[in-house]
Amino acid sequence: MKNIILACLLAVSLVPAAVAQEELSGTIQIKGSDTMVNLGQAWAEAFSKAHPGVTVAVTGGGSGTGFAALIGGTCDIAEVSRTIKEKEVALAGQKGFKPVEFEVALDGLAVVVHPDNPVDALTIDQLADIFTGRVTNWKQVGGKDLPIVILSREVNSGTHIYFKEHVLRKGRKDIFDEFSPMALLMPSSQAIAEEVAGNENAVGYYGVGYVTPAQKAVAVAQDADSEYVTPEVPDIISGRYPISRPLLVYTPSAPTGVVKAFIDFVLSPEGQKIVEEVDFVPIKFR
Amino acid sequence: MRRLKEFLIEKLILLSGITVILFVVLIFVFLLKEGLAFFKEVRLSDFLGGRYWYPISEPPRFGILPLILGSFLVTAGATVFAVATSICAAFYIAEIAPARIRDFLKTGIEVLASIPSVVLGFVGMVTLVPWVKSVFHVPTGLTALSGAIMLGFMAMPTIISISEDALAAVPRHFREGSIALGATRWQTMYRVTIHAAKPGILAASMLGIGRVIGETMAVMMITGNAAVIPRTFLQPVRTLTATIAAEMGEVVHGSAHYHSLFSIGIILFLITFIINVTADFFLHRVRH
């Protein structure tokens, strides 16, 4: 499905020379993932510079907010970090929409600890044990004798859901593990970053773009036998780093006019260069 | 002509009064409409008594006991801290402070009242939270205690100004009588004045509590938001208000999760309503 869309896009993107001749004008409303707000903003600025007649407004609120807006008809593009739920497809169908998905970038999720924490490599199993609360002391995973403070995003975050499904539940449908009730739910990635920077007990997760020298990203391995990989861009693209996810945009139905021009721009080499500039990982240009 | 003008103004004022009440009723009806639908799917006892809050899991769990206890713990802490400090401050302002200092303090309290709660939350996050962590040697400073202290600051302006009014309303001859009988100023204050002003001070405290329990932004930033039943003040807690604020953005309209947030709203509304009615009861006693 995705391939067909991309193929279509590629086919159409060969023509836009003719389309771009007409001066584009109009407004585009973009809503959704907090993770992607900066990315959306950067695209919007570059796009409006190239087409002064187009205004692009970007707001956050969470992937769920993006889908809600898409279904409610209050945005033209939803930026999201999770795929659409069946319930949402059904709701959109009732309104006469048939949402279309585009993969626009990749995001590696870094697991971060305080730089003084001696733990610098963990397996997915160990991460699952830590975040579900089965392991409560750093010494159980080779660290100091200190309690573990779990930091997570709020439930309105696509990052929260992705981490639960792919780390806590290891992508399997028969595991029903939850974040430990002791987990601190922080309102933003920035809040997690600040708490990790100031607290040796803390462990959190967020997109690689938010990692600074004040936090340490641990190397992650699929299991004890495989190699430990730190979240570096080449390893995220190649898939060697085990926790990365696609960043997506949805349109209510097949895009036309300015919205289509915008999505073409996002998927163009220029748009993908912006992805790199705001510390996400470009999808391999196909 | 004058009659007509009088008539129009009178009706306009009446209309404004009715509008306010109408809004309250509409809000309550809306809350009930959206919230009560939830109880078709979940039993009230599971909602109020459940120990786990996993609203988006399959199957979801909607237990708000940890949230209620979280709200109560933070509120209780803030009340103890704010009421004690505020009554002392009100006494100083009403009874002891010379006029110039009194004006200065009153302005200061108004400024405190006007600080937006998100700013207080932010200041708390970077100053109070690390302090709590290092002083009490706890794993994290994002605790009920941090929330209680910050909320205490938010409740203080309300409690101080209303208590001070109550103290100022105590008739002069009460104090004069007491001093004439040989009591010191301190004895007068804590044996006579405080008793005369007690209903007002209670009302002030209740209004302060009402403000604390409804506060959202600052709590969300500094209490850690872990939905676990709290055992001590030095543990993270999640409050009712923070839960609504944090989750409303995501929720799929019409889902059980959506209705559950409105049900939390009803619970909050009931709590603040009871608190305000109690405060009103005490305020009326002052007037009679």
Side-chain angles (χ1 to χ4, degrees), chain B residues 10 28 86-87 90 117 119 123 130 136 158 162 204 212 220 235 242 282:
Chain B
E10 212 170 82
F28 193 61
S86 303
I87 292 179
S117 79
V119 175
V123 171
F136 295 99
T158 314
I162 300 178
V212 166
M220 189 156 88
Q235 238 181 310
F282 284 120

Side-chain angles (χ1 to χ4, degrees), chain A residues 206-218:
Chain A
Y206 45 70
V208 282
Y210 284 93
V211 182
T212 69
Q215 300 97 16
K216 180 174 75 174
V218 299

Side-chain angles (χ1 to χ4, degrees), chain B residues 214-246:
Chain B
E215 174 47 45
T216 309
M217 205 54 219
V219 193
M220 189 156 88
M221 292 167 84
I222 57 180
T223 54
N225 300 324
V228 60
I229 292 180
R231 299 217 149 63
T232 69
F233 266 110
L234 295 169
Q235 238 181 310
V237 294
R238 187 177 182 86
T239 61
L240 296 165
T241 47
T243 304
I244 299 181

Side-chain angles (χ1 to χ4, degrees), chain A residues 3 7 12 15 26 41 48 68 106 122 130 166 176 208 239 247 253 274:
Chain A
N3 281 333
V12 213
V15 222
Q41 199 66 54
S48 319
L106 281 174
L122 292 166
I130 290 172
H166 290 83
F176 295 100
V208 282
L247 298 180
S253 43
I274 294 173

Side-chain angles (χ1 to χ4, degrees), chain A residues 46-64:
Chain A
F47 189 76
S48 319
K49 207 180 261 173
H51 306 281
V54 182
T55 349
V56 188
V58 185
T59 46
S63 297

Side-chain angles (χ1 to χ4, degrees), chain A residues 64-65 82 85 88 91 147 149 154-156 161 164 176 178-186 194-195 199 201, chain B residues 52 54 56-58 125-126 129 133 138-142 220 224-228 235-236 238 246-247 249-250 252:
Chain A
T65 314
R82 63 168 170 83
K85 291 179 189 162
E88 288 159 340
L91 278 172
V149 171
E154 277 288 353
V155 294
N156 66 348
I161 296 171
K164 182 168 85 182
F176 295 100
E178 293 284 352
F179 278 99
S180 160
M182 298 294 286
L184 273 56
L185 302 185
M186 312 292 278
E194 268 171 41
E195 180 67 9
N199 190 340
N201 308 317
Chain B
Y52 297 98
Y54 286 113
I56 55 157
S57 298
E58 290 295 333
M125 203 165 96
V126 292
V129 168
K133 178 176 182 290
V138 282
T140 172
L142 296 161
M220 189 156 88
N225 300 324
V228 60
Q235 238 181 310
R238 187 177 182 86
E247 295 174 14
E250 139 76 1
V252 181

Side-chain angles (χ1 to χ4, degrees), chain A residues 268-283:
Chain A
S268 70
E270 203 186 334
Q272 291 295 304
K273 206 168 147 252
I274 294 173
V275 171
E276 221 172 338
E277 282 162 11
V278 288
D279 290 324
F280 288 110
V281 182
I283 49 171

Side-chain angles (χ1 to χ4, degrees), chain A residues 183-205:
Chain A
L184 273 56
L185 302 185
M186 312 292 278
S188 66
S189 295
Q190 195 52 44
I192 297 183
E194 268 171 41
E195 180 67 9
V196 168
N199 190 340
E200 217 185 315
N201 308 317
V203 59
Y205 61 88

